[in-house]
């Protein structure tokens, strides 16, 4: 069982493991910053999955989805960073 | 063949970044692993997919790569500054020249959250 | 002539950046995959002798984009970068390397 299909399956399994690890960090925390970092990681894996889907279906439109996910990722990161900064404790 | 190598390297870097998110001891170090090894991974994976020649149109793959390269440092810097200011726990840091400049709280909580959970 | 020098500086910056990206990524991968996590993080103050705001922004951008270092804060007079580094034994060596790799070419680009 070799060939492009099984190679893509291996790539998918690797990304799935990365997804599980990042999700675990998001559930465990322990701080807000950890969870936001994990969210960043999750969206990076989501971009990877979009690229893999484009490969397996042969449709270039999934690359546009990757762009959309990356865009949302940036806006979410900026918003959460501002949120963290505003919630700082007094000295 | 080149496409497969690029795809494999990209997925491997994503996996390494995720392992780093689990294993490294504090949020700022985890961020190094997540945002930047993660970007290299996604960039390589996208390049590999575009180079495979199995897509009906692959030109739009350049847009996410460009966008990630432009916005990721900004996001990383914002997130690092935010988590630093929120008084998160930092391991193994000896001297901190930035503490006076920004007035970072010294009394971060035991859990390392620094902020109260709602 | 000036344009040529600028193009050369931009190309050098790109080449150095790509090289640094690969080397630093492999360094981070080695740290993450080693059986015992043994990092020595540090916050380093890097003085940059750049005038234009966009040049300082470019330096901070390159500091943030290479794995293992993130710009945390730029001082108000735009002459100091505060950089968090994942693993370094020698802060002075890191500063010298950053200047040799990036600040030199950015200054050329700015001139």
């Amino acid at each position: 069982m070799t060939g492009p299909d099984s190679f893509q399956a291996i790539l998918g399994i690797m990304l799935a493991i990365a997804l599980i690890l990042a999700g675990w960090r998001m559930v465990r925390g322990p701080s807000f910053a950890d969870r936001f970092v994990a969210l960043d990681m999750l969206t990076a894996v989501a971009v990877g999955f979009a690229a893999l889907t484009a490969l397996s279906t042969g449709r270039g439109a999934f690359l546009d989805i990757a762009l959309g996910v990356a865009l949302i990722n940036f806006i979410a990161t900026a918003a959460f960073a501002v949120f963290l900064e505003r919630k700082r404790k007094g000295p | 063949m080149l496409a497969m190598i690029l795809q494999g390297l990209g997925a491997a870097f994503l996996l390494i970044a995720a392992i780093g998110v689990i294993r490294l001891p504090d949020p700022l170090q985890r961020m190094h692993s997540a945002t930047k090894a993660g970007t290299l991974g996604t960039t390589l994976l996208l390049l590999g997919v575009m180079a495979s020649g199995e897509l009906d149109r692959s030109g739009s793959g350049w847009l996410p790569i460009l966008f990630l390269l432009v916005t990721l440092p900004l996001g990383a810097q914002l997130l690092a500054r935010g988590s630093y200011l929120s008084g998160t726990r930092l391991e193994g840091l000896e001297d901190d020249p930035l503490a006076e400049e920004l007035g970072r709280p010294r009394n971060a909580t035991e859990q390392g959250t620094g902020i109260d959970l709602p | 002539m000036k344009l040529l020098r600028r193009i050369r500086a931009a190309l050098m910056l790109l080449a150095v950046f790509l090289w640094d990206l690969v080397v630093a990524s492999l360094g981070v991968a080695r740290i993450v995959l080693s059986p015992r996590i043994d990092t020595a993080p540090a916050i380093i103050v890097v003085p940059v002798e750049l005038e234009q705001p966009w040049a300082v922004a470019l330096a901070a951008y390159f500091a943030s984009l290479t794995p293992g270092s993130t710009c945390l804060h730029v001082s108000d007079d735009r002459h100091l970068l505060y950089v968090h580094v994942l693993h370094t034994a020698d802060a002075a060596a890191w500063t010298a390397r950053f200047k040799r790799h990036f600040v030199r070419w950015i200054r050329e680009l700015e001139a």
Side-chain angles (χ1 to χ4, degrees):
Chain A
M1 170 151 159
T2 50
D5 283 346
S6 62
F7 183 67
Q8 280 171 29
I10 293 171
L11 290 184
I13 291 170
M14 282 165 85
L15 287 193
I17 295 172
L19 198 71
I20 291 169
L21 291 178
W24 175 245
R25 174 53 68 200
M26 197 161 184
V27 171
R28 276 301 301 275
S31 71
F32 275 4
D34 289 306
R35 293 178 215 273
F36 296 155
V37 168
L39 183 72
D40 236 22
M41 188 66 228
L42 280 180
T43 45
V45 177
V47 171
F49 264 124
L52 269 193
T53 313
L55 187 64
S56 60
T57 59
R59 285 187 176 174
F62 280 102
L63 295 177
D64 298 338
I65 293 178
L67 175 65
V69 173
L71 225 158
I72 291 173
N73 176 28
F74 174 61
I75 294 172
T77 307
F80 281 136
V82 173
F83 167 73
L84 269 180
E85 235 172 271
R86 203 179 285 169
K87 281 210 80 167
R88 68 195 274 195
K89 254 189 181 172
Chain B
M1 195 60 212
L2 175 71
M4 280 173 112
I5 292 173
L6 283 175
Q7 290 160 19
L9 274 177
F13 263 112
L14 274 175
L15 192 55
I16 287 171
I19 295 172
V21 169
I22 287 289
R23 288 195 70 197
L24 290 172
D26 76 43
L28 276 181
Q29 296 184 34
R30 282 175 194 145
M31 195 204 60
H32 285 304
S33 172
T35 58
K36 279 156 290 188
T39 323
L40 190 65
T42 41
T43 306
L44 286 176
L45 194 53
L46 281 167
L47 279 177
V49 168
M50 282 160 62
S52 70
E54 290 173 23
L55 303 187
D56 47 1
R57 62 183 173 89
S58 61
S60 56
W62 289 108
L63 281 174
I65 292 176
L66 204 66
F67 191 80
L68 279 174
L69 280 182
V70 170
T71 58
L72 236 110
L74 303 179
Q77 183 171 348
L78 282 170
L79 196 57
R81 199 163 179 276
S83 48
Y84 181 86
L85 280 175
S86 76
T88 190
R89 177 178 49 101
L90 298 177
E91 297 239 334
L93 203 62
E94 270 142 28
D95 57 337
D96 186 354
L98 192 52
E100 292 88 46
E101 167 93 6
L102 285 182
R104 170 179 146 88
R106 289 270 179 198
N107 53 349
T109 53
E110 282 275 287
Q111 272 272 309
T113 52
I115 46 182
D116 303 321
L117 294 169
Chain C
M1 209 55 226
K2 206 171 172 181
L3 187 69
L4 270 181
R5 267 189 34 218
R6 280 194 176 190
I7 291 173
R8 174 167 154 266
L11 286 179
M12 281 306 291
L13 209 52
L14 192 68
V16 167
F17 160 67
L18 286 177
W19 173 246
D20 239 31
L21 187 68
V22 172
V23 169
S25 298
L26 290 179
V28 170
R30 211 190 63 225
I31 290 173
V32 166
L33 294 180
S34 64
R36 245 185 84 248
I37 293 284
D38 186 22
T39 55
I43 293 182
I44 301 177
V45 185
V46 182
V48 289
E49 302 86 8
L50 298 169
E51 297 301 321
Q52 308 284 342
W54 61 261
V56 182
L58 206 60
Y61 173 84
F62 279 120
S64 292
L65 196 47
T66 45
S69 65
T70 301
C71 183
L72 276 178
H73 181 67
V74 181
S75 66
D76 290 334
D77 59 0
R78 291 198 298 263
H79 286 316
L80 297 176
L81 296 181
Y82 294 86
V83 182
H84 182 272
V85 185
L86 178 59
H87 183 81
T88 181
D90 186 356
W94 194 91
T95 310
R97 187 166 164 281
F98 181 71
K99 285 191 165 181
R100 197 173 66 241
H101 278 190
F102 294 116
V103 177
R104 180 164 63 122
W105 298 112
I106 294 175
R107 200 183 304 147
E108 194 114 318
L109 206 62
E110 181 190 53

